[in-house]
Amino acid sequence: MNILITGANRGLGFHLSTIAAERGHNVIAGIRAANPDGQLLELINRYPGQIKAVELDVSREDTVARLAETLRADNQAVDAIINSAAILLGRGGTLETLSLEDVAQSFEVNLYGPMRVVKHLLPLMPDGGQRIILNISSEAGSLSNAYGGDYPYALSKAAINMFSKQLKKYVKAKEIRVYALHPGWIKTDMGGEKAPGDPLESAMGILDIVEMKKEIAPEHYFINFKGEPMPI
């Protein structure tokens, strides 16, 4: 499969790129910088020809549109989109001290980012096959379990859940699977050292979903990395 992963140079995005390459998939690794470095560059060298780093800043629509044009010119289809790029701002702040700039920036990346990617890349998804769009969400986006904190992050993740449901309806006739996915509280820069979850385990579960190794009831659209339904 040709799998586009945003935020591929760090955190969950990097682990997803690693597992996807290990399983023989071709990875289009979206990163904000023009050229890869560090652990992503090492991964590219480990799997020559399988991973292509591309400039993709989800907060800038011009980079998304340019990537789509390049892929189209190369006659390269996209079988799977994993919108992993995200930010967590204002952690632990109170409503009284809330920065609305943090809220706006969170929506730019966590909601509008995936929307921009899908807008431009959806036409490149082929007919038939194991096509899927995964929007990495969070249990923080659950309305029924709202905990009164992390307002920028939680609100943007609740919004991506709604977008995922709308998108699921929109592409139903094309038989493209769509999910908002909670990867677990995992030990990454965003999750922190206290997180109990292993990002590699989460990435493996997510790739199992991409590869249709998990049975998921058709009505579910908000799930965890094991394919289990999450509370809306």
Side-chain angles (χ1 to χ4, degrees):
M1 297 175 69
N2 294 326
I3 303 176
L4 171 69
I5 300 173
T6 69
N9 59 324
R10 59 184 298 180
L12 178 62
F14 173 74
H15 292 291
L16 287 167
S17 299
T18 301
I19 299 302
E22 286 180 356
R23 295 189 182 185
H25 300 293
N26 296 315
V27 177
I28 304 166
I31 57 175
R32 292 177 63 188
N35 298 304
D37 58 11
Q39 60 182 2
L40 180 59
L41 183 58
E42 293 177 6
L43 188 65
I44 292 171
N45 292 332
R46 195 187 316 160
Y47 295 95
Q50 271 186 254
I51 305 173
K52 179 181 179 181
V54 296
E55 183 182 8
L56 182 60
D57 182 344
V58 300
S59 66
R60 291 176 48 205
E61 188 163 2
D62 63 311
T63 70
V64 184
R66 189 158 55 245
L67 172 60
E69 290 171 5
T70 299
L71 294 175
R72 187 176 293 108
D74 292 340
N75 292 315
Q76 185 168 6
V78 176
D79 301 300
I81 297 172
I82 305 180
N83 283 307
S84 181
I87 55 174
L88 173 58
L89 302 175
R91 172 122 248 197
T94 65
L95 184 58
E96 290 81 0
T97 61
L98 177 66
S99 165
L100 292 182
E101 178 59 33
D102 284 350
V103 177
Q105 193 174 349
S106 297
F107 271 76
E108 276 292 340
V109 176
N110 298 351
L111 173 64
Y112 305 151
M115 292 180 73
R116 293 181 184 108
V117 171
V118 173
K119 171 186 173 181
H120 290 280
L121 275 296
L122 182 60
L124 298 180
M125 302 192 84
D127 294 332
Q130 299 176 339
R131 297 158 305 149
I132 186 170
I133 298 171
L134 286 177
N135 297 317
I136 301 302
S137 184
S138 169
E139 61 186 354
S142 168
L143 297 180
S144 58
N145 289 336
Y147 54 87
D150 294 330
Y151 296 99
Y153 186 75
L155 291 169
S156 64
K157 290 303 185 180
I160 197 63
N161 291 353
M162 177 61 176
F163 172 62
S164 299
K165 185 169 186 180
Q166 288 184 310
L167 182 60
K168 184 181 180 73
K169 296 278 188 180
Y170 184 71
V171 299
K172 182 179 180 180
K174 297 180 179 180
E175 298 183 343
I176 298 173
R177 294 170 294 145
V178 178
Y179 302 104
L181 187 142
H182 170 53
W185 181 17
I186 53 177
K187 200 178 265 78
T188 61
D189 289 344
M190 181 182 290
E193 285 300 315
K194 294 182 180 179
D198 180 357
L200 273 175
E201 180 186 2
S202 180
M204 287 188 285
I206 292 169
L207 262 295
D208 284 347
I209 292 169
V210 170
E211 296 169 341
M212 299 183 71
K213 294 177 180 176
K214 303 279 188 180
E215 288 193 17
I216 302 170
E219 68 270 18
H220 296 318
Y221 68 93
F222 183 27
I223 60 175
N224 63 20
F225 70 96
K226 299 177 181 180
E228 301 165 340
M230 291 287 296
I232 308 301

